[in-house]
Amino acid sequence: MRNDDGNEGKADMKDESQVNAATDAGGSSSTVPTMENYARSLAHAASGEEMTLIVTFFLEGDEYAFDVTDAFEVLKPGRLTRVPNTPGFIKGIISVRGEMVPVLDIKRRLGLASSSTDYAHSRVMIAGTEDHKAGFLVDGVGGVKEFKARLFRPSGKDGGFLKATLRTDSSFIKVLDIERLLDMEGR
Amino acid sequence: MVKNRDKRSERFKEFLAEAEDILNSMARDLVRLGKGVKAGIIDPTVLNNVFRSAHTLKGVSGIFEFKNVSDLSHSLEDTLDMLRLGRTALTDDVLDSVMSAHELLVKIVASKGDGNFNPEVSHLKTLLARTLETKKPAAKAQIDKEILSALTEYEGHRLRENLKEGRNILVVNVKFPVTSFDKSYEALIETLKNDAELIATLPSSGPDPGTLYFELLVGTLKDSPHIADLVKGFSQADIRVLKGPSAKAPVEESRPLSIRKTAIETLRRDSSTVRVDIEKLDHIMNIVSELGILTSSVARLSAELKSSASTSVYGIELSRVEKYLERKFSELRDSVLDVRMVPIGRLFGRFEAFIERLAKETGKEIRMVTNGDDTEIDKLIVEELADPLMHIIRNVIDHGIEAPEERERFGKPRIGAVTLSAHQKGNHVVVEVKDDGRGMDEEFIRRKAVEKGIVNREFIGRMSRQEILDLIFIPGFTTADKVSVTSGRGVGLDVVKENITRQSGIIDVDTLKGRGTRFILTIPITLAIIPALLIEAGRERYALPLSSVLEIIELDRDVLGREEVLGFVKLKKRKIPCVRLSEFFGSPPSGSDGGACYGVIAGLASHRLCVIVDSLLEELDVVIKPLPDMLNVPGVAGATDMGEKGTVLVLDVTGILEYLLNNRKVFKKAEPLSL
């Protein structure tokens, strides 16, 4: 949304290489909207194999994901407006086309140590439901990826913020539970 | 990546709005019906309207499988049908069931389909079904069977009712040219309305194919020459007396009336209004405010161009265009705001049935008086006002208005009056709920407050009268010694105050023992666009809505002292507690020592607070956007997007005052404030 033309190109390159790596791995494919991919997804549908789409992102070098239906868009962090007297993991608000959306430091929410407090190279991933959404500060975005549904290992009731995990030959992705992340009662 | 919006939920919202409208108009008619029953005159038009409302509601709720509503409105429709056909007598009991059914429908619709109403619905359905059993003997028909057979059951019933009341029954033969039929017909009906009831319109026949012939069956207390005189203006209107004091028997040549009446219907509606979802208006408002940002950018550009010698010609030209743009822009903004405005009378009207019912429940006699119904206020605020007003009215009826006998003993009229009035005052609307009841007893409030431990004994002696009265808004304070059916538990005036404060409003109370009480609500006309002041405190910028500010004073930083969070400032001989905004918000310190800073005075009832800020930057109009729930913190009303200037929080200084009051930080050590 906002223009901050810095050295963003580099980060994007990195993201892309990871997308490609994931594509090479068995069972996954990056879904760039090409005719080829469209044909492939049709083929999947025809074969009856259930597929799941996720949007992945990076936190401290690890790959995480939301269900594709939980994510809305990715923005560059512009100026965040601080809201006083809120929990520390709430970094402020941004206006997304006039709608005020809270921005959360997802690392702090997950209890991960943060190596930097510089958000200039971060991205804000807007996720949640139409009425209840938030922006999450992430280190980089992996992209939309498609995997066979049976590869996901649900983490059960006491998984905390973790909804499922996915292990392939080349990657280990943690799928997060957006509802629990946004549930402030349980903080 | 917008998710599939549930189309059904959009339509469901429309349905809820429509259902609300239907129920509102039903409420109005029920009140009129209730008055009619008391007076012994039942207006068939009103009864018909109620029936039609129930019918429509059944229809629309059926579409949405809103089972409770469709079931209940169906039963209601059945009962009303029997009533309007005269098969059932409209007794007090029946009216009660009808009113309770209406009330439950309102409740179910308000719940938006959540909540379980099944037991209540089935209870009322039984009640309504019972009303069907009380049959009313039909008046013996004294009219030609031939005519009767052409009438619908309802028309037949109206005919019998007219006969019962000893009216003349006339058949008016009319014809209209096909081309101007609908207008002439409506004009004729309008003419007849005052002197006669149109029982039925029966199609007839005549020689000219370009002409429509009708027989109007009319019941009237007037004689036939009088009616003939009325309809003279309409082409060929000859009259025959079917039944009247003069003519006992049905008259001679009666043309066979075998054709069933065809309903004269039109799909055209008279009203030319459009119902719009307030969200759509909000969207337009957003665009308007973005336009406002663009307009000011243009102004800045033209100023820049003007200042440079080489471009000043263009600058002058541009600034002329910009002036025009700005004028048009404010016109646009004002008209968008205007669309949101509704007369407050509509809200007042909703309380008529409510007051009537409460009066009945408490065994009191109460009439509602309204003033300033035309005063316009933002639709959203009207909705937010509904609950607080309802609680105040409950309170007034419960505790304020005395029982009729008691009133007579005091030489007051038996019937108590609850007056709802409104008038505009600048950017605010003042809404007043006034009663002529027993008023509040200051001593009683003092005693109660001490008893409940709200204020300690020695302190209360030093409190002013206004401060004592304000105690009724404190949570946990309720003057009723026992919980009543009407006011119920829990919902006290503290909730009312909270609601009003949330609307950036102020509530005040005034009372005279034995004479009555006034609740005065001062509410901003609109929250959509508000004039605000951009301020800076602790290196952060905030928008301060001017409506919530009583006064802004200049202060000397050195005098205030730097360390203390809370101190006092003196204003007009009054000591006002003050708080630094940056401290309250935990912002980084401003860095600037000494020099001037500003005190923003906020008020809540008789309390005052001075909020200290570093600088005042500029005045501007802002659109407040609510913050998501997780960010609801005291002192912040929302945020506003100022385009290239970024997003800033909108302050709620009254909220800060309220927070401090509730946490008793300032006011414990503060000496009592005197006005």
Side-chain angles (χ1 to χ4, degrees):
Chain A
M1 284 295 285
R2 303 194 187 276
N3 302 324
D4 57 334
D5 296 323
N7 299 326
E8 294 300 324
K10 225 192 268 171
D12 290 343
M13 289 291 285
K14 185 180 126 209
D15 294 350
E16 207 171 318
S17 69
Q18 263 153 341
V19 173
N20 289 338
T23 316
D24 297 339
S28 90
S29 61
S30 154
T31 43
V32 182
T34 61
M35 277 313 287
E36 197 186 323
N37 277 328
Y38 180 58
R40 189 157 48 187
S41 76
L42 283 184
H44 276 308
S47 74
E49 175 78 68
E50 200 189 327
M51 302 301 284
T52 298
L53 283 171
I54 54 174
V55 188
T56 77
F57 51 88
F58 298 93
L59 301 174
E60 299 297 313
D62 288 335
E63 192 167 15
Y64 292 80
F66 288 134
D67 265 350
V68 82
T69 50
D70 289 335
F72 291 89
E73 61 190 311
V74 179
L75 307 173
K76 290 184 180 178
R79 258 178 298 174
L80 288 183
T81 304
R82 187 184 77 97
V83 181
N85 305 328
T86 46
F89 61 84
I90 297 181
K91 300 319 286 181
I93 47 168
I94 49 167
S95 166
V96 181
R97 286 178 294 277
E99 186 185 353
M100 296 301 161
V101 177
V103 176
L104 310 189
D105 184 339
I106 189 170
K107 292 183 201 169
R108 281 186 71 167
R109 186 84 173 121
L110 295 175
L112 302 175
S114 180
S115 55
S116 82
T117 49
D118 174 23
Y119 301 113
H121 299 292
S122 321
R123 287 289 183 275
V124 180
M125 180 171 295
I126 310 290
T129 60
E130 191 68 49
D131 298 325
H132 194 45
K133 61 176 98 155
F136 296 93
L137 279 168
V138 300
D139 296 339
V141 174
V144 178
K145 299 177 183 180
E146 190 175 29
F147 294 94
K148 295 193 173 87
R150 61 184 164 82
L151 292 175
F152 291 88
R153 198 172 299 275
S155 52
K157 272 206 175 100
D158 23 84
F161 296 129
L162 216 55
K163 193 177 184 178
T165 52
L166 171 89
R167 192 183 293 279
T168 65
D169 296 342
S170 61
S171 58
F172 179 66
I173 303 176
K174 293 171 220 165
V175 184
L176 298 175
D177 187 328
I178 188 79
E179 277 173 36
R180 289 194 196 157
L181 278 173
L182 291 179
D183 178 18
M184 292 300 138
E185 306 301 319
R187 70 182 170 221
Chain B
M1 239 194 274
V2 178
K3 296 199 178 176
N4 322 337
R5 267 259 181 91
D6 193 356
K7 200 69 201 156
R8 191 178 171 275
S9 81
E10 282 282 315
R11 293 222 311 272
F12 188 63
K13 259 200 243 162
E14 273 171 39
F15 156 68
L16 288 176
E18 187 173 355
E20 228 173 73
D21 277 5
I22 296 170
L23 288 170
N24 276 344
S25 78
M26 206 198 269
R28 276 195 299 277
D29 290 329
L30 281 176
V31 170
R32 284 169 63 192
L33 199 61
K35 282 180 183 156
V37 169
K38 249 182 238 158
I41 310 158
I42 296 160
D43 184 345
T45 344
V46 176
L47 194 54
N48 247 332
N49 284 347
V50 181
F51 166 75
R52 220 168 296 132
S53 297
H55 176 75
T56 317
L57 187 60
K58 185 190 75 175
V60 291
S61 56
I63 297 170
F64 285 92
E65 293 162 32
F66 206 156
K67 207 169 164 313
N68 276 336
V69 175
S70 64
D71 275 8
L72 188 54
S73 43
H74 189 125
S75 300
L76 190 57
E77 184 194 358
D78 285 348
T79 296
L80 289 164
D81 198 25
M82 291 298 132
L83 289 173
R84 103 197 155 100
L85 294 178
R87 291 204 194 150
T88 305
L90 184 50
T91 59
D92 270 353
D93 282 351
V94 175
L95 187 66
D96 263 358
S97 313
V98 169
M99 285 194 162
S100 321
H102 169 262
E103 211 170 292
L104 182 57
L105 284 170
V106 171
K107 225 159 79 187
I108 300 174
V109 168
S111 80
K112 298 184 176 61
D114 301 331
N116 177 16
F117 294 98
N118 291 336
E120 288 169 79
V121 168
S122 57
H123 171 69
L124 268 175
K125 276 171 71 179
T126 331
L127 275 185
L128 288 172
R130 205 170 298 152
T131 62
L132 301 183
E133 291 160 15
T134 49
K135 291 257 161 41
K136 182 177 160 188
K140 200 118 175 91
Q142 297 157 294
I143 287 289
D144 216 5
K145 283 230 166 60
E146 238 162 353
I147 290 190
L148 276 179
S149 71
L151 299 179
T152 65
E153 184 173 1
Y154 175 64
E155 289 161 351
H157 160 62
R158 288 315 308 161
L159 180 60
R160 282 191 294 275
E161 285 294 302
N162 273 291
L163 285 170
K164 213 173 78 185
E165 283 165 32
R167 293 173 167 213
N168 297 327
I169 308 295
L170 308 175
V171 175
V172 183
N173 284 301
V174 289
K175 61 173 185 183
F176 305 105
V178 172
T179 46
S180 66
F181 154 69
D182 50 350
K183 281 213 179 77
S184 315
Y185 177 76
E186 270 173 40
L188 176 61
I189 301 305
E190 201 54 41
T191 315
L192 282 174
K193 216 168 74 183
N194 290 329
D195 289 317
E197 180 187 339
L198 178 66
I199 298 168
T201 305
L202 305 163
S204 172
S205 56
D208 180 9
T211 304
L212 294 170
Y213 298 87
F214 290 99
E215 290 188 330
L216 306 181
L217 196 58
V218 167
T220 180
L221 288 170
K222 301 273 161 51
D223 53 6
S224 72
H226 179 82
I227 299 295
D229 210 34
L230 278 181
V231 297
K232 209 168 51 191
F234 298 91
S235 54
Q236 191 236 343
D238 76 272
I239 294 190
R240 130 181 103 84
V241 178
L242 205 56
K243 158 86 180 60
S246 48
K248 290 234 160 58
V251 216
E252 59 302 352
E253 49 87 41
S254 83
R255 216 177 299 121
L257 289 161
S258 48
I259 324 155
R260 270 287 271 112
K261 175 212 167 213
T262 46
I264 294 146
E265 268 184 320
T266 165
L267 286 175
R268 229 188 81 233
R269 298 231 174 124
D270 288 337
S271 136
S272 57
T273 53
V274 177
R275 189 206 301 279
V276 182
D277 191 331
I278 194 100
E279 269 175 33
K280 287 186 185 161
L281 288 182
D282 277 342
H283 179 66
I284 297 175
M285 208 66 217
N286 282 344
I287 299 172
V288 168
S289 69
E290 278 161 33
L291 268 179
I293 295 166
L294 288 177
T295 314
S296 53
S297 304
V298 174
R300 207 190 50 245
L301 261 176
S302 74
E304 243 166 64
L305 286 177
K306 263 197 283 191
S307 65
S308 156
S310 58
T311 53
S312 68
V313 184
Y314 300 108
I316 290 162
E317 200 60 35
L318 185 60
S319 97
R320 195 174 304 143
V321 174
E322 187 267 324
K323 286 272 147 23
Y324 188 65
L325 178 66
E326 195 172 315
R327 205 161 58 231
K328 284 292 151 198
F329 165 71
S330 44
E331 261 176 50
L332 173 65
R333 196 191 58 198
D334 291 348
S335 15
V336 172
L337 277 180
D338 192 48
V339 170
R340 303 169 62 98
M341 299 296 166
V342 291
I344 200 164
R346 282 193 215 165
L347 176 63
F348 288 170
R350 281 191 229 165
F351 291 115
E352 202 166 349
F354 177 71
I355 289 180
E356 187 142 307
R357 186 173 60 82
L358 284 197
K360 209 168 184 182
E361 272 172 22
T362 52
K364 293 170 183 176
E365 291 173 29
I366 299 164
R367 69 195 165 95
M368 179 177 112
V369 184
T370 63
N371 277 323
D373 288 31
D374 296 339
T375 312
E376 292 203 316
I377 189 163
D378 193 300
K379 166 83 177 152
L380 278 185
I381 299 184
V382 163
E383 290 312 316
E384 293 294 329
L385 268 181
D387 277 357
L389 279 181
M390 189 180 80
H391 288 310
I392 292 175
I393 291 172
R394 271 195 171 153
N395 242 283
V396 160
I397 293 181
D398 235 20
H399 311 312
I401 306 265
E402 311 92 332
E405 304 74 42
E406 193 182 338
R407 289 180 65 89
E408 275 180 341
R409 234 181 331 195
F410 287 113
K412 290 182 179 181
R414 266 181 81 85
I415 302 175
V418 173
T419 310
L420 302 179
S421 55
H423 67 268
Q424 191 176 338
K425 193 174 150 196
N427 275 330
H428 287 80
V429 167
V430 180
V431 181
E432 218 181 89
V433 180
K434 194 174 83 185
D435 69 76
D436 61 351
R438 57 171 75 97
M440 288 183 217
D441 186 348
E442 204 182 309
E443 271 317 304
F444 182 77
I445 298 173
R446 277 180 208 270
R447 216 172 57 232
K448 212 79 197 163
V450 172
E451 233 169 69
K452 302 220 167 190
I454 293 169
V455 191
N456 68 42
R457 196 173 297 277
E458 81 186 85
F459 192 74
I460 203 146
R462 287 152 50 197
M463 283 171 78
S464 72
R465 176 185 148 73
Q466 195 58 51
E467 280 165 334
I468 298 286
L469 289 182
D470 283 343
L471 288 174
I472 62 169
F473 296 116
I474 284 178
F477 188 92
T478 170
T479 56
D481 280 325
K482 47 182 187 263
V483 175
S484 75
V485 195
T486 341
S487 286
R489 268 160 240 272
V491 183
L493 288 170
D494 55 315
V495 179
V496 171
K497 196 197 68 181
E498 203 186 300
N499 281 336
I500 299 296
T501 312
R502 217 181 313 129
Q503 300 305 308
S504 303
I506 295 177
I507 181 165
D508 280 309
V509 63
D510 192 11
T511 188
L512 247 176
K513 201 179 163 190
R515 301 283 292 280
T517 305
R518 284 196 308 163
F519 286 93
I520 305 142
L521 282 56
T522 312
I523 304 125
I525 286 183
T526 179
L527 291 177
I529 264 204
I530 50 165
L533 192 62
L534 195 63
I535 57 118
E536 200 172 70
R539 290 183 188 165
E540 283 174 342
R541 288 175 171 201
Y542 301 94
L544 172 68
L546 289 175
S547 62
S548 61
V549 176
L550 298 176
E551 203 173 343
I552 295 179
I553 52 173
E554 198 175 327
L555 297 168
D556 192 336
R557 218 178 284 264
D558 293 323
V559 179
L560 279 171
R562 258 155 241 145
E563 302 309 318
E564 219 184 339
V565 180
L566 293 163
F568 291 94
V569 292
K570 269 221 158 127
L571 184 69
K572 290 171 195 150
K573 291 190 189 149
R574 182 173 166 176
K575 232 172 147 189
I576 296 176
C578 59
V579 59
R580 250 176 244 277
L581 190 62
S582 55
E583 302 269 3
F584 187 80
F585 279 167
S587 330
S590 64
S592 48
D593 290 340
C597 62
Y598 299 88
V600 175
I601 312 289
L604 180 64
S606 64
H607 299 288
R608 297 288 177 268
L609 177 74
C610 173
V611 180
I612 298 169
V613 304
D614 295 331
S615 47
L616 311 178
L617 301 174
E618 60 176 310
E619 231 182 288
L620 68 181
D621 288 336
V622 300
V623 177
I624 300 190
K625 294 292 167 51
L627 291 190
D629 287 344
M630 68 172 87
L631 299 180
N632 268 334
V633 291
V636 177
T640 184
D641 187 349
M642 302 203 304
E644 54 196 51
K645 287 183 209 149
T647 300
V648 300
L649 297 181
V650 178
L651 293 178
D652 171 16
V653 278
T654 322
I656 298 179
L657 170 55
E658 196 181 6
Y659 175 82
L660 294 175
L661 273 174
N662 287 340
N663 291 274
R664 312 240 136 201
K665 274 184 186 149
V666 216
F667 299 91
K668 264 229 169 97
K669 48 180 185 172
E671 62 182 66
L673 309 170
S674 54
L675 281 167

